[in-house]
Amino acid sequence: MHNGGEEEDQIRVIMGLSGLLVAFSLIVMSHCAIVNKHMRDLEVTNALSSAIDYATDMMQDMCADISFEMMDKTEAKRKLIQTFCKTLEAAIGTDGEIKVYVLDADIETGNFDFIIEETYKYTFKGRKGVARCERVVRFDTGV
């Protein structure tokens, strides 16, 4: 003889456990997405900052090695900015898109002001993030 109440109780337990399993799975997925976003943001920001520091060091080395007195000022700016961009691209090693905005480039005072922006994707749902760094540097150009 089957007891209908006993089967209903088993079904309720199974349904309740299934609901808890689904809720737990959603919580774990949400947590992983948040941690993934945070880790990716830190990774990109740190890598971008380090690459910018290295690129400005390379610009400074170039300033020390080249005599700008004999160069056209526009050509000198172009060479320095090109060195910065090439060095940044080589140092960053990213799958994102890098944009460099030159706010100020004065060869006489040696002041350079850059904004560097990297647009990148998160692995979760392919969303995009943006990291921005600004650097204002001053080099002795000897001009």
Side-chain angles (χ1 to χ4, degrees):
M1 206 161 146
H2 281 341
N3 187 350
E6 220 175 275
E7 285 181 14
E8 286 179 14
D9 287 343
Q10 287 177 349
I11 291 174
R12 283 189 185 126
V13 169
I14 291 171
M15 294 298 285
L17 289 175
S18 297
L20 286 175
L21 183 62
V22 168
F24 180 73
S25 297
L26 288 173
I27 290 169
V28 168
M29 286 178 50
S30 297
H31 176 72
C32 288
I34 291 168
V35 168
N36 179 28
K37 180 186 180 308
H38 180 69
M39 292 302 291
R40 180 72 169 145
D41 288 344
L42 284 176
E43 173 190 6
V44 170
T45 302
N46 288 338
L48 184 60
S49 183
S50 295
I52 291 168
D53 290 343
Y54 178 69
T56 55
D57 287 346
M58 295 307 293
M59 278 180 73
Q60 187 166 6
D61 291 348
M62 184 178 184
C63 284
D65 293 342
I66 292 178
S67 173
F68 291 102
E69 294 169 353
M70 300 298 197
M71 283 182 135
D72 176 53
K73 291 184 183 1
T74 305
E75 178 65 17
K77 279 193 247 186
R78 187 190 65 72
K79 279 190 172 201
L80 283 170
I81 293 168
Q82 189 175 32
T83 298
F84 178 83
C85 291
K86 283 182 179 181
T87 306
L88 181 69
E89 184 179 8
I92 191 89
T94 183
D95 58 349
E97 178 184 341
I98 302 285
K99 292 180 183 177
V100 176
Y101 302 98
V102 181
L103 302 179
D104 184 28
D106 189 341
I107 201 71
E108 291 177 4
T109 62
N111 291 332
F112 289 85
D113 188 359
F114 299 102
I115 292 180
I116 300 88
E117 182 178 278
E118 180 177 0
T119 305
Y120 56 94
K121 289 185 180 180
Y122 296 110
T123 54
F124 187 73
K125 291 189 174 182
R127 293 186 176 165
K128 289 186 178 185
V130 176
R132 285 183 191 88
C133 288
E134 182 173 0
R135 287 293 189 281
V136 179
V137 292
R138 184 172 187 173
F139 304 117
D140 182 15
T141 58
V143 177

